[in-house]
Short mmCIF file of all heavy atoms in Angstrom, two decimals:
data_model
loop_
_atom_site.label_atom_id
_atom_site.label_comp_id
_atom_site.label_asym_id
_atom_site.label_seq_id
_atom_site.Cartn_x
_atom_site.Cartn_y
_atom_site.Cartn_z
N ASP A 422 98.87 156.77 114.97
CA ASP A 422 98.83 155.64 115.96
C ASP A 422 99.42 154.36 115.32
O ASP A 422 100.07 153.56 115.94
CB ASP A 422 97.35 155.39 116.39
CG ASP A 422 97.03 156.07 117.67
OD1 ASP A 422 97.96 156.47 118.40
OD2 ASP A 422 95.88 156.14 118.01
N ILE A 423 99.09 154.17 114.00
CA ILE A 423 99.63 153.00 113.32
C ILE A 423 101.16 153.09 113.22
O ILE A 423 101.86 152.16 113.47
CB ILE A 423 99.06 152.88 111.91
CG1 ILE A 423 97.54 152.53 112.02
CG2 ILE A 423 99.74 151.78 111.09
CD1 ILE A 423 96.81 152.54 110.69
N ALA A 424 101.65 154.26 112.99
CA ALA A 424 103.10 154.49 112.88
C ALA A 424 103.81 154.19 114.20
O ALA A 424 104.83 153.56 114.29
CB ALA A 424 103.43 155.92 112.46
N ILE A 425 103.19 154.67 115.30
CA ILE A 425 103.71 154.40 116.62
C ILE A 425 103.75 152.88 116.91
O ILE A 425 104.72 152.30 117.33
CB ILE A 425 102.90 155.11 117.73
CG1 ILE A 425 103.14 156.64 117.65
CG2 ILE A 425 103.35 154.63 119.16
CD1 ILE A 425 102.21 157.43 118.51
N ALA A 426 102.64 152.20 116.57
CA ALA A 426 102.56 150.79 116.77
C ALA A 426 103.59 150.08 115.92
O ALA A 426 104.19 149.02 116.34
CB ALA A 426 101.20 150.23 116.41
N GLY A 427 103.88 150.62 114.72
CA GLY A 427 104.88 150.00 113.85
C GLY A 427 106.33 149.95 114.36
O GLY A 427 107.11 149.15 113.98
N LEU A 428 106.57 150.89 115.27
CA LEU A 428 107.91 150.92 115.94
C LEU A 428 107.81 150.54 117.39
O LEU A 428 108.71 150.84 118.13
CB LEU A 428 108.53 152.37 115.78
CG LEU A 428 108.71 152.80 114.32
CD1 LEU A 428 109.24 154.23 114.27
CD2 LEU A 428 109.74 151.86 113.62
N PHE A 429 106.74 149.93 117.80
CA PHE A 429 106.43 149.53 119.13
C PHE A 429 107.53 148.52 119.58
O PHE A 429 107.72 147.47 119.03
CB PHE A 429 105.06 148.87 119.18
CG PHE A 429 104.43 148.83 120.51
CD1 PHE A 429 103.66 149.89 120.95
CD2 PHE A 429 104.55 147.73 121.28
CE1 PHE A 429 103.06 149.74 122.18
CE2 PHE A 429 103.96 147.57 122.47
CZ PHE A 429 103.13 148.65 122.93
N PRO A 430 108.21 148.84 120.72
CA PRO A 430 109.17 147.89 121.26
C PRO A 430 108.51 146.72 121.94
O PRO A 430 107.86 146.88 122.93
CB PRO A 430 110.00 148.69 122.23
CG PRO A 430 109.04 149.81 122.64
CD PRO A 430 108.14 150.06 121.53
N ALA A 431 108.57 145.57 121.38
CA ALA A 431 107.93 144.40 121.90
C ALA A 431 108.47 143.92 123.26
O ALA A 431 109.51 144.43 123.69
CB ALA A 431 107.96 143.20 120.93
N ALA A 432 107.72 143.07 123.93
CA ALA A 432 108.07 142.68 125.28
C ALA A 432 109.44 142.05 125.37
O ALA A 432 110.04 141.94 126.45
CB ALA A 432 106.99 141.79 125.82
N ASP A 433 109.94 141.49 124.21
CA ASP A 433 111.24 140.79 124.30
C ASP A 433 112.34 141.75 124.07
O ASP A 433 113.47 141.35 123.97
CB ASP A 433 111.26 139.72 123.20
CG ASP A 433 111.05 140.27 121.80
OD1 ASP A 433 110.92 141.43 121.61
OD2 ASP A 433 110.90 139.40 120.82
N GLY A 434 112.04 143.09 123.96
CA GLY A 434 113.09 144.08 123.85
C GLY A 434 113.44 144.40 122.45
O GLY A 434 114.15 145.43 122.20
N MET A 435 112.91 143.77 121.42
CA MET A 435 113.18 144.06 120.00
C MET A 435 112.35 145.21 119.56
O MET A 435 111.25 145.44 119.92
CB MET A 435 112.85 142.84 119.20
CG MET A 435 113.73 141.65 119.43
SD MET A 435 113.21 140.21 118.44
CE MET A 435 113.47 140.96 116.81
N THR A 436 112.97 146.06 118.69
CA THR A 436 112.20 147.09 118.06
C THR A 436 111.79 146.58 116.69
O THR A 436 112.58 146.20 115.89
CB THR A 436 113.10 148.40 117.83
OG1 THR A 436 113.49 148.88 119.11
CG2 THR A 436 112.30 149.43 117.05
N LEU A 437 110.47 146.54 116.46
CA LEU A 437 109.89 145.87 115.23
C LEU A 437 109.65 146.95 114.15
O LEU A 437 109.15 148.01 114.37
CB LEU A 437 108.58 145.26 115.64
CG LEU A 437 108.74 144.19 116.72
CD1 LEU A 437 107.38 143.75 117.23
CD2 LEU A 437 109.49 142.97 116.20
N ARG A 438 110.05 146.60 112.96
CA ARG A 438 109.79 147.41 111.80
C ARG A 438 108.35 147.15 111.33
O ARG A 438 107.72 146.19 111.62
CB ARG A 438 110.71 147.08 110.68
CG ARG A 438 112.15 147.34 111.09
CD ARG A 438 112.45 148.78 111.46
NE ARG A 438 113.79 149.00 111.85
CZ ARG A 438 114.23 150.14 112.36
NH1 ARG A 438 113.45 151.14 112.50
NH2 ARG A 438 115.52 150.26 112.71
N ARG A 439 107.77 148.11 110.54
CA ARG A 439 106.40 147.99 110.14
C ARG A 439 106.10 146.62 109.41
O ARG A 439 105.07 146.06 109.59
CB ARG A 439 105.96 149.13 109.21
CG ARG A 439 105.78 150.41 109.99
CD ARG A 439 105.10 151.48 109.13
NE ARG A 439 105.16 152.81 109.78
CZ ARG A 439 106.09 153.63 109.50
NH1 ARG A 439 107.03 153.39 108.65
NH2 ARG A 439 106.07 154.83 110.15
N GLN A 440 106.99 146.24 108.51
CA GLN A 440 106.74 145.03 107.76
C GLN A 440 106.67 143.81 108.62
O GLN A 440 106.21 142.76 108.15
CB GLN A 440 107.71 144.91 106.60
CG GLN A 440 109.26 144.63 107.11
CD GLN A 440 109.95 145.97 107.19
OE1 GLN A 440 109.36 146.96 107.38
NE2 GLN A 440 111.25 145.90 107.02
N LYS A 441 107.17 143.91 109.81
CA LYS A 441 107.12 142.75 110.78
C LYS A 441 106.06 142.87 111.85
O LYS A 441 106.02 142.18 112.76
CB LYS A 441 108.47 142.50 111.41
CG LYS A 441 109.56 142.20 110.40
CD LYS A 441 110.92 141.99 111.19
CE LYS A 441 111.99 141.58 110.10
NZ LYS A 441 113.30 141.41 110.74
N LEU A 442 105.28 143.92 111.67
CA LEU A 442 104.32 144.36 112.75
C LEU A 442 103.37 143.22 113.21
O LEU A 442 103.23 142.93 114.33
CB LEU A 442 103.55 145.54 112.36
CG LEU A 442 102.48 146.09 113.33
CD1 LEU A 442 103.16 146.44 114.64
CD2 LEU A 442 101.75 147.29 112.73
N LEU A 443 102.68 142.62 112.13
CA LEU A 443 101.69 141.58 112.50
C LEU A 443 102.38 140.41 113.27
O LEU A 443 101.81 139.93 114.26
CB LEU A 443 101.02 141.08 111.28
CG LEU A 443 99.85 140.13 111.59
CD1 LEU A 443 98.70 140.89 112.34
CD2 LEU A 443 99.34 139.52 110.32
N HIS A 444 103.47 140.01 112.80
CA HIS A 444 104.14 138.82 113.39
C HIS A 444 104.67 139.14 114.79
O HIS A 444 104.65 138.25 115.62
CB HIS A 444 105.30 138.38 112.47
CG HIS A 444 104.85 137.96 111.15
ND1 HIS A 444 104.33 136.74 110.91
CD2 HIS A 444 104.89 138.52 109.98
CE1 HIS A 444 103.97 136.52 109.64
NE2 HIS A 444 104.31 137.68 109.04
N GLY A 445 105.04 140.40 115.01
CA GLY A 445 105.48 140.74 116.31
C GLY A 445 104.47 141.25 117.29
O GLY A 445 104.50 140.97 118.45
N LEU A 446 103.46 141.96 116.75
CA LEU A 446 102.54 142.72 117.62
C LEU A 446 101.12 142.26 117.50
O LEU A 446 100.33 142.53 118.39
CB LEU A 446 102.64 144.22 117.34
CG LEU A 446 103.96 144.92 117.68
CD1 LEU A 446 103.91 146.33 117.34
CD2 LEU A 446 104.21 144.75 119.17
N GLY A 447 100.78 141.60 116.42
CA GLY A 447 99.41 141.17 116.34
C GLY A 447 98.46 142.25 116.31
O GLY A 447 97.39 142.16 116.90
N LEU A 448 98.77 143.35 115.70
CA LEU A 448 97.87 144.53 115.68
C LEU A 448 96.51 144.28 115.06
O LEU A 448 96.41 143.69 113.95
CB LEU A 448 98.54 145.64 114.87
CG LEU A 448 97.76 146.96 114.73
CD1 LEU A 448 97.52 147.60 116.12
CD2 LEU A 448 98.51 147.97 113.81
N ILE A 449 95.49 144.62 115.81
CA ILE A 449 94.13 144.48 115.32
C ILE A 449 93.50 145.89 115.27
O ILE A 449 93.63 146.67 116.22
CB ILE A 449 93.25 143.63 116.19
CG1 ILE A 449 93.63 142.14 116.04
CG2 ILE A 449 91.76 143.74 115.88
CD1 ILE A 449 92.84 141.24 116.89
N LEU A 450 92.95 146.21 114.14
CA LEU A 450 92.26 147.50 113.94
C LEU A 450 90.79 147.34 114.05
O LEU A 450 90.21 146.55 113.32
CB LEU A 450 92.65 148.08 112.58
CG LEU A 450 92.20 149.53 112.33
CD1 LEU A 450 93.02 150.55 113.12
CD2 LEU A 450 92.29 149.89 110.88
N ILE A 451 90.18 147.98 115.03
CA ILE A 451 88.68 147.82 115.19
C ILE A 451 88.06 149.09 114.66
O ILE A 451 88.35 150.24 115.07
CB ILE A 451 88.41 147.72 116.77
CG1 ILE A 451 89.09 146.41 117.32
CG2 ILE A 451 86.88 147.59 116.94
CD1 ILE A 451 88.87 146.23 118.74
N CYS A 452 87.11 148.91 113.76
CA CYS A 452 86.53 149.99 113.05
C CYS A 452 85.02 150.23 113.49
O CYS A 452 84.22 149.31 113.30
CB CYS A 452 86.55 149.75 111.56
SG CYS A 452 85.76 151.00 110.54
N LEU A 453 84.72 151.37 114.09
CA LEU A 453 83.43 151.70 114.50
C LEU A 453 82.90 152.77 113.52
O LEU A 453 83.15 153.90 113.70
CB LEU A 453 83.41 152.30 115.93
CG LEU A 453 83.64 151.33 117.11
CD1 LEU A 453 83.68 152.08 118.37
CD2 LEU A 453 82.51 150.32 117.18
N ALA A 454 82.17 152.27 112.47
CA ALA A 454 81.69 153.23 111.50
C ALA A 454 80.66 152.59 110.66
O ALA A 454 80.71 151.42 110.39
CB ALA A 454 82.82 153.81 110.66
#
Side-chain angles (χ1 to χ4, degrees):
D422 266 345
I423 292 173
I425 292 172
L428 297 175
F429 198 89
D433 59 7
M435 295 177 60
T436 298
L437 302 169
R438 300 299 177 184
R439 284 193 193 94
Q440 63 267 27
K441 296 181 180 178
L442 179 60
L443 185 68
H444 297 283
L446 293 178
L448 177 64
I449 289 181
L450 189 71
I451 301 177
C452 178
L453 286 176

